[in-house]
Amino acid sequence: MLEACKALLPEGLDSWDYIKVEKGHGRIEKRSIKCRVLTRKDRRHVHFPYCAQVVCIKRERMIVATGKTSVEYAYYITSSMAVPELLFSYIRGQWHIENKIHWVRDVTFDEDRSRIRTGSGPWVMATLRNLVIGLLRLLGIDNIAAGLRAFAWNRNLSIDLLT
């Protein structure tokens, strides 16, 4: 399927539908997006149910301190048609979710090493973790690990939060 996407959106093309440059965290990132609405003929090559559009994102990164650069291409298939700016925000939004919720659950709560694996236990624990993350974020706490430590040291804070 990747080869079909690459064939539909060749890397060598210089024209991109939307380009965004962002600076921060010691690097400069340029993201370019190219979209192609699929015809019936194109869909036969992709082999993906209900595909409507193929998207390529080119990520160019430069680390400011070292000048080191890297280029990466990512391909996406979508079942709906959208303008490049909207698709770009959807894809970036997915990383926002990954960094805000899943990473915190994986690293701060060490969820991957949880021994709870049967019945509804994993679902209940994931719900409790999400509840704690949500409550801390509502309080304006960005660093979840530091927030957990603060509440662990002062049990009255926890009781006040829940009442």
Side-chain angles (χ1 to χ4, degrees), residues 6-112:
K6 284 183 177 182
L8 291 168
L9 292 164
E11 294 175 14
L13 296 177
D14 290 331
S15 63
W16 293 91
D17 298 327
Y18 179 70
I19 297 173
K20 186 166 186 172
V21 178
E22 295 176 336
K23 299 174 186 177
H25 305 288
R27 61 184 179 258
I28 299 171
E29 297 187 17
K30 177 182 175 185
R31 292 182 186 87
S32 309
I33 187 170
K34 175 168 270 317
C35 306
R36 178 169 175 179
V37 176
L38 299 178
T39 64
R40 225 176 247 187
K41 182 180 175 184
D42 294 335
R43 288 187 186 122
R44 283 183 269 171
H45 299 291
V46 176
H47 304 294
F48 194 84
Y50 308 106
C51 59
Q53 212 169 11
V54 175
V55 179
C56 176
I57 292 189
K58 178 182 177 184
R59 297 182 189 102
E60 300 172 82
R61 293 183 193 95
M62 184 184 80
I63 299 173
V64 176
T66 63
K68 184 180 176 183
T69 61
S70 64
V71 178
E72 174 183 280
Y73 290 88
Y75 292 87
Y76 299 86
I77 298 172
T78 178
S79 59
S80 61
M81 289 187 274
V83 295
E85 294 87 349
L86 191 58
L87 287 169
F88 182 82
S89 69
Y90 287 160
I91 292 166
R92 292 287 290 159
Q94 176 59 39
W95 283 110
H96 179 75
I97 293 168
E98 181 66 30
N99 291 334
K100 284 288 195 179
I101 305 253
H102 300 296
W103 188 86
V104 171
R105 283 176 41 187
D106 289 344
V107 175
T108 304
F109 287 102
D110 204 12
E111 189 175 56
D112 290 342

